[in-house]
Amino acid sequence: MGIIIGAMALFVVLSVFSGLKDFSLSFSNDFDPDLKISSVLGKSFFVSPSQDKQINEIDGIASYSKILEERVLFTFNGKQEVTCMKGVDPNFNTVNNLNKKLFNGEWLKKNTSQVVVGYGIAEKFSMGLLDFNNPLEVLAPRPGKGTIENPEEAFNKMVLNPVGIYAISEDLDSKYVFADLGLAQELLEYKSNQISGIEVKIKKGGDENAITHSLQTIFNTKINIKNRAQLNESLYKMLNTENLAVYLIFTLVIVIALFNLIGALIMMILDKKENLKTLLNLGIEIKDLRKIFLLQGTLLSFFGGFIGLVLGITIVLIQQHYELVMITPTLAYPVIFSIENVLIVFGTILSLGFIASLIASSRVSKKLLGS
């Protein structure tokens, strides 16, 4: 019973954490591309028409989008906020699913002063959409050298038209204001082929390593390429650490349960002492007598782990389909059935059960049997 409950609990908890991990990453997965290219030599780089053509010819790339990111100052109705403007081209929504995360309004159109802001920024500014009485303004420092004589000439200034509000997560909702790529280039005085990055969507089954190598070749290794896990390195590390910690804690619970197995086997050895002595006198070796209890303990672990897994899988599948346990009235506790978790739990139970049985069976000795 201890092994059954331990295996069931370990599988259910691992499935819950798999669900929570997937749920946590779903926010960034809707926003982050499969691959993101940035320059290693400054904030921006240039993309020539020939490089554009070469990128289009790479096998495995579904689509890509040119972007321009820069921190600028936004002002609205006397309030100010420094945050990131992200200029995007028309292909942006083929790479990301951000247009599906619009809380209100619509996505911006090409070659306009329209912008899409985050819910966090809209809340800070107490800003609505299409408010022509209170314009949203953006200021960016002008590039160049020399002494500034007139402070107003030190900044490029534009009036923007918010047409949409997106909502993903608390951090991302206050991080970006999306604008047309041409508008961002004009504000920052960049050339038409000057960008800060390229976001890439890979086809299903595409070879990420081969695509990365091809992109490095096109740009002569003057770029930095990160995949989704590298873009969210701290988040992935945190989730993996939590998963490992929970696994180790529940493995400790199973180890404690297996002490009962060791005790039960030792009690059985003492109970069958006379029978073992008889077998020993008949010529059976000590190592063969030990194998009896090793096999018995391993079988107990096997069937205990199997039954526990069946119960755990049943609980997880019921939660997945019927959503019995809720976090909020509209959000069910996320769980994911995974073959990997099944193998981890079964492997853990069998390994620890075998070790526990080996420890208990080692008590069988000639000294114990009085020979």
Side-chain angles (χ1 to χ4, degrees), residues 75-119:
T75 65
F76 179 82
N77 197 21
K79 299 177 182 177
Q80 297 181 346
E81 182 73 20
V82 176
T83 191
C84 187
M85 171 182 272
K86 186 167 183 175
V88 297
D89 66 10
N91 293 330
F92 182 73
N93 281 321
T94 64
V95 178
N96 302 274
N97 295 318
L98 193 64
N99 58 336
K100 296 179 182 178
K101 295 295 182 180
L102 288 180
F103 174 76
N104 196 7
E106 59 184 13
W107 188 251
L108 59 92
K109 294 178 182 177
K110 184 181 178 182
N111 298 326
T112 65
S113 61
Q114 296 178 349
V115 293
V116 174
V117 302
Y119 181 79

Side-chain angles (χ1 to χ4, degrees), residues 107-164:
W107 188 251
L108 59 92
K109 294 178 182 177
K110 184 181 178 182
N111 298 326
T112 65
S113 61
Q114 296 178 349
V115 293
V116 174
V117 302
Y119 181 79
I121 295 172
E123 192 175 38
K124 288 177 184 176
F125 282 158
S126 301
M127 180 177 67
L129 300 179
L130 305 174
D131 185 353
F132 298 105
N133 294 323
N134 298 297
L136 174 66
E137 295 180 337
V138 58
L139 292 89
R142 281 183 175 174
K145 300 178 181 178
T147 306
I148 300 173
E149 295 181 358
N150 185 354
E152 291 185 3
E153 294 179 358
F155 294 90
N156 288 325
K157 184 177 179 181
M158 285 186 175
V159 177
L160 306 175
N161 182 23
V163 294

Side-chain angles (χ1 to χ4, degrees), residues 81-287:
E81 182 73 20
V82 176
T83 191
C84 187
M85 171 182 272
K86 186 167 183 175
V88 297
D89 66 10
N91 293 330
F92 182 73
N93 281 321
T94 64
V95 178
N96 302 274
N97 295 318
L98 193 64
N99 58 336
K100 296 179 182 178
K101 295 295 182 180
L102 288 180
F103 174 76
N104 196 7
E106 59 184 13
W107 188 251
L108 59 92
K109 294 178 182 177
K110 184 181 178 182
N111 298 326
T112 65
S113 61
Q114 296 178 349
V115 293
V116 174
V117 302
Y119 181 79
I121 295 172
E123 192 175 38
K124 288 177 184 176
F125 282 158
S126 301
M127 180 177 67
L129 300 179
L130 305 174
D131 185 353
F132 298 105
N133 294 323
N134 298 297
L136 174 66
E137 295 180 337
V138 58
L139 292 89
R142 281 183 175 174
K145 300 178 181 178
T147 306
I148 300 173
E149 295 181 358
N150 185 354
E152 291 185 3
E153 294 179 358
F155 294 90
N156 288 325
K157 184 177 179 181
M158 285 186 175
V159 177
L160 306 175
N161 182 23
V163 294
I165 299 174
Y166 69 88
I168 301 175
S169 67
E170 187 175 347
D171 291 336
L172 293 174
D173 291 350
S174 300
K175 190 174 182 181
Y176 289 104
V177 173
F178 291 91
D180 178 64
L181 178 61
L183 183 143
Q185 289 171 330
E186 183 182 349
L187 176 70
L188 300 170
E189 297 185 16
Y190 279 21
K191 295 181 180 179
S192 59
N193 64 339
Q194 187 177 3
I195 56 176
S196 65
I198 299 175
E199 298 188 350
V200 179
K201 182 178 182 180
I202 299 175
K203 291 179 181 177
K204 191 174 183 180
D207 188 341
E208 183 183 299
N209 292 328
I211 293 170
T212 300
H213 178 72
S214 299
L215 290 169
Q216 291 281 12
T217 303
I218 292 171
F219 290 96
N220 196 23
T221 67
K222 293 180 179 179
I223 55 169
N224 184 29
I225 302 176
K226 291 185 178 181
N227 59 24
R228 188 169 286 162
Q230 291 167 332
L231 288 170
N232 297 283
E233 191 172 1
S234 58
L235 177 60
Y236 274 82
K237 281 183 178 179
M238 180 190 72
L239 292 172
N240 290 333
T241 302
E242 286 180 352
N243 206 17
L244 178 62
V246 168
Y247 169 74
L248 293 175
I249 291 168
F250 274 81
T251 299
L252 180 61
V253 173
I254 292 172
V255 169
I256 294 170
L258 288 172
F259 276 114
N260 293 328
L261 174 64
I262 294 173
L265 288 175
I266 291 174
M267 291 298 291
M268 196 171 295
I269 290 169
L270 295 175
D271 185 53
K272 302 294 182 182
K273 183 177 177 180
E274 295 301 321
N275 303 80
L276 294 174
K277 190 182 293 186
T278 302
L279 291 173
L280 183 65
N281 292 333
L282 289 172
I284 296 179
E285 296 183 11
I286 290 291
K287 64 177 183 179

